Each structure stands twice: as C-alpha cells, then as structure tokens.
Amino acid sequence: MTTTNTHVTGTARLNFAKTAPKVFRALIGFDAAAREGLDPALVELIQIRASHLNRCAYCLHMHTNDARKAGETEDRLHMVPVWREARHFFTEREQAALALTEAVTLVADGGVPEEVYAQAAGHFDEQELAHVLSLILAINTWNRVALSTAKVAGTDERG
C-alpha cells in the first residue's frame, strides 16, 4: 500500500503524473503561465483560500509551507479562512483577490457577482486580472486532481 495515492479505505489510486504525463505537464505549464507577473505572496494566498474551500488538505499543506518559505506570517496564514472578519491583515488588493477566488471556486453557488468582479477589476489591470483568474482556475484544477487521486497531505513530491 502506498501513502501518496491511498484513499482512506486503503484503495490505491492512479498516479496522475505518471499515468497522464502530457496532461500533467500541460497543467504545470498553465500554472506557471498564470503566476507570471503576480506577487508570490498573493499567489499563495489565492491557492490557500481555494484549497480551504475545496477541502484539499494536500494542496493546503503544500501552499501554506510555500507561503512560509516566501516569508508569509503565521498571523496572516491563520486569518485566510476568515479574511472578511480580519480585513486589517490584508491589503484591499489581496481582499479583492480573495473575494474573486471564493466566487470562482464556488461558481456553482451563484456565479461571479458583478460587485466581486468589479472590485477585482479596480485593483488589477486587465493582464493582472487575467493572470489572477487563471491562477484561480489552475489551483481549482490541482485541488480536483489531488482530491480525485487521494493525495495525502504532507507527501509533496516536488523535491
């Protein structure tokens, strides 16, 4: 039994990177392109919030560790799930990105409200906004890959 692709029931699941290498490399390329020009701290906040909402422990563990390595504070990391109640921890730009992350991640619950989109558009130019949106799409895809293949938190294989 492997620990990286074992569901709670003990049933081994496929190794996505090895089984679909072209798709996996395409996702890595999409993710890298999405990050271009964005502040690394903002990138991690977006990935952390989407991973919270999707309940992806694997990605949450990975991105909180990446955020710490990039100099993110424990206070801010603890406040990400409740950022609306702790706005003073985040810039208006970060708040706009977090709101957009929530709306896009939970798109089936009501779409992306005009006010959320307008707030983001007010803090990011068109190119930045396209990259923020792309990053949100990328982390939601990674969350679904990790959840579908039962990736275990703490087993990040990036090296």
Side-chain angles (χ1 to χ4, degrees):
M1 182 165 82
T2 64
T3 57
T4 56
N5 287 325
T6 304
H7 190 298
V8 182
T9 63
T11 306
R13 297 202 181 172
L14 67 84
N15 181 320
F16 190 79
K18 288 183 180 174
T19 308
K22 282 182 156 180
V23 176
F24 190 77
R25 284 191 304 273
L27 286 176
I28 289 171
F30 178 61
D31 185 272
R35 295 166 181 257
E36 282 184 16
L38 296 178
D39 173 25
L42 180 67
V43 167
E44 296 306 333
L45 290 176
I46 289 168
Q47 293 178 127
I48 289 166
R49 187 61 186 130
S51 297
H52 279 136
L53 294 169
N54 288 321
R55 296 189 223 171
C56 184
Y58 179 82
C59 292
L60 182 58
H61 183 268
M62 178 189 303
H63 293 295
T64 53
N65 281 337
D66 288 349
R68 283 184 193 95
K69 289 174 191 170
E72 190 59 77
T73 67
E74 289 298 318
D75 278 346
R76 281 173 38 103
L77 289 175
H78 292 300
M79 293 299 117
V80 172
V82 293
W83 67 269
R84 281 188 173 81
E85 293 77 24
R87 290 179 186 267
H88 61 285
F89 282 91
F90 305 97
T91 67
E92 288 185 11
R93 182 175 165 96
E94 290 168 337
Q95 292 174 44
L98 290 167
L100 186 62
T101 299
E102 290 178 357
V104 173
T105 300
L106 303 172
V107 70
D109 293 346
V112 177
E114 185 59 38
E115 62 274 10
V116 170
Y117 185 86
Q119 181 185 18
H123 287 282
F124 298 95
D125 65 32
E126 281 192 357
Q127 185 176 18
E128 291 171 324
L129 186 56
H131 282 263
V132 167
L133 181 57
S134 297
L135 183 67
I136 296 166
L137 299 175
I139 189 56
N140 273 279
T141 300
W142 285 123
N143 289 164
R144 281 152 179 76
V145 168
L147 290 164
S148 299
T149 60
K151 298 293 281 184
V152 176
T155 62
D156 180 6
E157 299 151 350
R158 293 177 302 166

